[in-house]
Amino acid sequence: MSPTAEPTVMSGKTRVLGGITVIDTPLITRAMDYARVHSEPYLFNHAVRSWLFAVRLGQLQGVPHDAEVVAVGTLLHDLGLTDSFTGPKRFEIEGADAARTFAREQGLDDGRVRLIWDSVALNSTPSIGLNKEAEVALCTAGIGVEFGFQYDRMPPNEMQSILTAFPRLEMKRRFADSVCRIVKAKPETTYDNFAGDFGERFVPGYSRPSTVEFLMNAPFEE
């Protein structure tokens, strides 16, 4: 838990978005605008749904957390898949660096910035993210709902309300296409993460080395 985390799950001004009650602050509005400007519509909707899922899971489980950190982390978690933030690193790190820059420019302290960076960097590694601080874990869980994880925890009427407000817009195909573009452009960043799964499934000729090969071919005698 960050030192600035809210003592309750929901406090301050709120609004209803996609049928879910969320906190309403200038920081979250700016993060939402930032995601909208830099993302294709399907990716923006995915980010907002991920936030709403994270919020609702936190409410249902009564998890105390910094609600602004969860909002910024989920809303900006896929910046690395956009044309605005491309670079030599794996896409999660490019996105995390971009989210960190945004958070610092908004005046957030180092502890909150670190949680946002971790939330984005670990968003596709739930085996780690779910075991981090509450904010990181909620971001990871909310994003995971988009892939079917903990789907059954969401009440069906609330799920429908979120999907109506922020439709998926061919999410499966478009997301796969976005990741495959990265696989083709910089395959060296995909060998130790889930992007390689898309390469193996959809990109002809793609292959990634095994960690076993690295160990056995390491320049040591034994």
Side-chain angles (χ1 to χ4, degrees), residues 20 38 138 143 167 201:
I20 306 301
H38 292 289
L138 282 176
I143 295 163
R201 176 75 175 271

Side-chain angles (χ1 to χ4, degrees), residues 91-144:
F91 83 89
E92 300 98 321
I93 303 302
E94 296 293 351
D97 288 350
R100 177 171 58 195
T101 297
F102 170 86
R104 285 175 172 168
E105 290 174 347
Q106 301 304 313
L108 274 64
D109 64 49
D110 289 345
R112 301 177 89 196
V113 170
R114 176 182 57 79
L115 288 172
I116 290 169
W117 192 94
D118 284 355
S119 296
V120 177
L122 296 173
N123 85 82
S124 63
T125 315
S127 58
I128 297 175
L130 290 173
N131 292 284
K132 292 280 288 180
E133 296 88 347
E135 293 79 9
V136 180
L138 282 176
C139 286
T140 304
I143 295 163

Side-chain angles (χ1 to χ4, degrees), residues 15-104:
R15 66 168 168 158
V16 176
L17 193 64
I20 306 301
T21 300
V22 299
I23 66 165
D24 185 13
T25 70
L27 172 63
I28 294 176
T29 297
R30 289 191 291 269
M32 202 164 180
D33 290 342
Y34 197 74
R36 182 184 290 107
V37 166
H38 292 289
S39 305
E40 296 178 62
Y42 94 87
L43 197 61
F44 172 73
N45 281 9
H46 161 60
V48 178
R49 289 194 307 270
S50 297
W51 173 38
L52 298 179
F53 292 145
V55 169
R56 195 66 185 110
L57 290 173
Q59 293 170 352
L60 291 169
Q61 298 173 51
V63 179
H65 62 277
D66 183 327
E68 285 189 318
V69 165
V70 170
V72 175
T74 47
L75 288 170
L76 304 186
H77 81 272
D78 267 341
L79 289 180
L81 287 179
T82 71
D83 293 335
S84 299
F85 302 98
T86 58
K89 304 171 187 175
R90 56 187 281 179
F91 83 89
E92 300 98 321
I93 303 302
E94 296 293 351
D97 288 350
R100 177 171 58 195
T101 297
F102 170 86
R104 285 175 172 168

Side-chain angles (χ1 to χ4, degrees), residues 12 20 47 97 134 145 157 170 185:
I20 306 301
D97 288 350
V145 174
N157 62 315
E170 298 184 292

